[in-house]
Amino acid sequence: MYSIDDFTRPKAYLSPMDEYLGKIVRKWADEEVIPYRRQYDEDWEEHRLIGPAFDKLMGELGIQRVLFPEDLGGWGLGHSNYTAGASFRLFEEVARADSAMAVALGVVYWPMLMICCEPHVNRRLCEEFAPMFCDTEKAVFAANAMTEPQGGADIENLDIVKGSTIRTTAVLEGDEWVINGHKLWPTNSGGVANLLGVVCTTKLGSTDPRDFAFIFVPADLPGVTQGGAYQKSGMAADKNGDIWFENVRVPAYYRACGPGDDNKYFREVISFGNMGSIAFVSGAMLNTFEILKNFVGNRYYRGRPLKENDAVAGVLADIVKDIDIIRIIGYQYARMLDRPDCYGARWEEETVAKGRAYKYFACDRAVEDLGKAMNLMEVCGSDRDWDIEKHWRDLKIVQLWMGGKQLCQVETARLFFDCQTL
Ligand SMILES: Cc1cc2nc3c(=O)[nH]c(=O)nc-3n(C[C@H](O)[C@H](O)[C@H](O)COP(=O)(O)OP(=O)(O)OC[C@H]3O[C@@H](n4cnc5c(N)ncnc54)[C@H](O)[C@@H]3O)c2cc1C
């Protein structure tokens, strides 16, 4: 019997942790999430059910520690040759159960990439923040606060807009940064995050890369206010809200990499965000295959299982060929991030743009395929009992974030066609 494990992966270069990570997360997903996830939509505000499932995965199983160096209680994944490949498997397995849980976990790693990865490990900040994540059995969350009310895409469009629209300011006063501004939508905001990585400017309107600053801010500091979670169409396990910074003071050394390097290595954060997004799509689509396989094998049309009808089989083939290709692309991109010696640095324009191209390809295919799966399932497609419409709602959101499809198109076209004004 063909199963989700038979979709193609580059077996020649999987991480040594792949099998182990995959097994523990799949068991967690099957026992702790899938039986309950239908109730998550109503749990969007309180996280009464969602919270304990996170505690188990992130705190008890220790998945929130993996990026940190081993001697600080982590698993050393941040400085390994498999940071992206192992993360892809992890995110895929979590997303098979719930892609919002996968993004909430992924964003715990997201700002930490700035300080845990070679060649820019910030040992002092690793020592400062590792205990928060490594010395507890409870889930601890981080957030990556980029988006602002005047627009998120412009902030991510680093090559053209160059940080000039960032309105969250960081001013050095003695040995402290004083931060003021307003962010919205970060994953794990809405009162969840304990540690924030904040995109700031040290000079309003500047296009100088040295003025782009990435500064860590513990969420419980005076002057940090988090609003309540927004109610979205899906992704209830990921809380998003407003964060206000009013004269928030942090030590000067809380800046991740320093002038010029914050801007450079933040592009690596973008690359990982796109890699993670593909993994969320891949995981949710693997579960879509499981659901569909059950449905078309056990529903009958003209006395034959649905799958034995030509027109249905054609649609099923369209869907599974996309899943196979999305998975291959996702693992290939993870490999590209893990092997800068072959593919170029994670922060280079080419690497960032290719990640955007693959991310929007995966999202477009998945959203269309979920529509087709729902057509095949007719009323069951819209019935929450089948969980297909859940993946449809969730993956639509993956398509929207990180600058949306247009930024992906712009950066892809810019790379391949050398566009001068986009
Ligand atoms: C579930 C979820 C999780 C999120 N997590 C995070 C997070 O962790 N951190 C964070 O900071 N933000 C996060 N966001 C916010 C998200 O990244 C932004 O919403 C996104 O970047 C788009 O920004 P915007 O909504 O401000 O749209 P805008 O930037 O205002 O864009 C509006 C429209 O203009 C288009 N556009 C923008 N630039 C161009 C261009 N050059 N050419 C053509 N069209 C263009 C956009 O594609 C879009 O269609 C999250 C959002 C969601 C829904």
Side-chain angles (χ1 to χ4, degrees), residues 21 25 63 66 85-95 105 109:
L21 271 178
V25 178
I63 301 296
V66 303
S87 303
F88 193 95
R89 176 74 197 269
L90 190 57
F91 298 157
E92 202 182 36
E93 289 292 340
V94 178
L105 167 68
Y109 300 173

Side-chain angles (χ1 to χ4, degrees), residues 224-242:
V224 179
T225 310
Q226 291 193 57
Y230 310 140
Q231 189 173 17
K232 310 186 293 293
S233 59
M235 291 225 160
D238 169 23
K239 287 197 190 181
N240 311 88
D242 295 73

